[in-house]
Amino acid sequence: MALNQKTLEKMKGMAFTVAVVMVMAIAATDAQTICNMPTSDLKACKPAVTPPNPPPPTSTCCSALSHADMPCLCSYKNSNLLPTLGIDPNLAMKLPSFCNLPHPANC
């Protein structure tokens, strides 16, 4: 039985929705880490990467970022997921500079 185009598109949409829900569930659990950053520290950085008028990153955000796996975080820069979570990838890429941290190579 072949699937029609409409059914395939519905399945893709459901898969994307499930992925977003899973990431949000992980982000809601403080015991989880992403790229060596506890989700509570990621939350501390969110205002600084949320348009339209983000404040500078807090010292908590910068401290957490200094311990993060920067190449891992960099792997999310072209992700379609960031905008769906209200994160501007361009603002996120500026965080190391705002925190006086080295910018990861090839990022």
Side-chain angles (χ1 to χ4, degrees):
M1 174 172 91
L3 297 174
N4 65 32
Q5 186 66 28
K6 191 173 185 177
T7 301
L8 287 173
E9 296 212 1
K10 282 183 182 179
M11 289 174 67
K12 285 181 186 178
M14 281 197 297
F16 179 75
T17 301
V18 169
V20 169
V21 169
M22 288 177 64
V23 168
M24 290 174 69
I26 290 169
T29 306
D30 286 337
Q32 297 291 325
T33 62
I34 298 172
C35 299
N36 203 37
M37 282 183 76
T39 53
S40 59
D41 291 346
L42 287 169
K43 290 177 189 175
C45 291
K46 188 165 182 200
V49 296
T50 304
N53 298 311
T58 63
S59 60
T60 302
C61 170
C62 290
S63 176
L65 197 59
S66 71
H67 300 291
D69 178 346
M70 294 304 282
C72 174
L73 288 175
C74 188
S75 71
Y76 288 94
K77 77 176 184 177
N78 294 319
S79 168
N80 291 331
L81 181 62
L82 295 180
T84 64
L85 298 174
I87 297 170
D88 182 325
N90 294 320
L91 292 172
M93 296 307 300
K94 294 177 182 177
L95 277 181
S97 297
F98 287 139
C99 292
N100 296 316
L101 297 170
H103 197 276
N106 301 319
C107 184

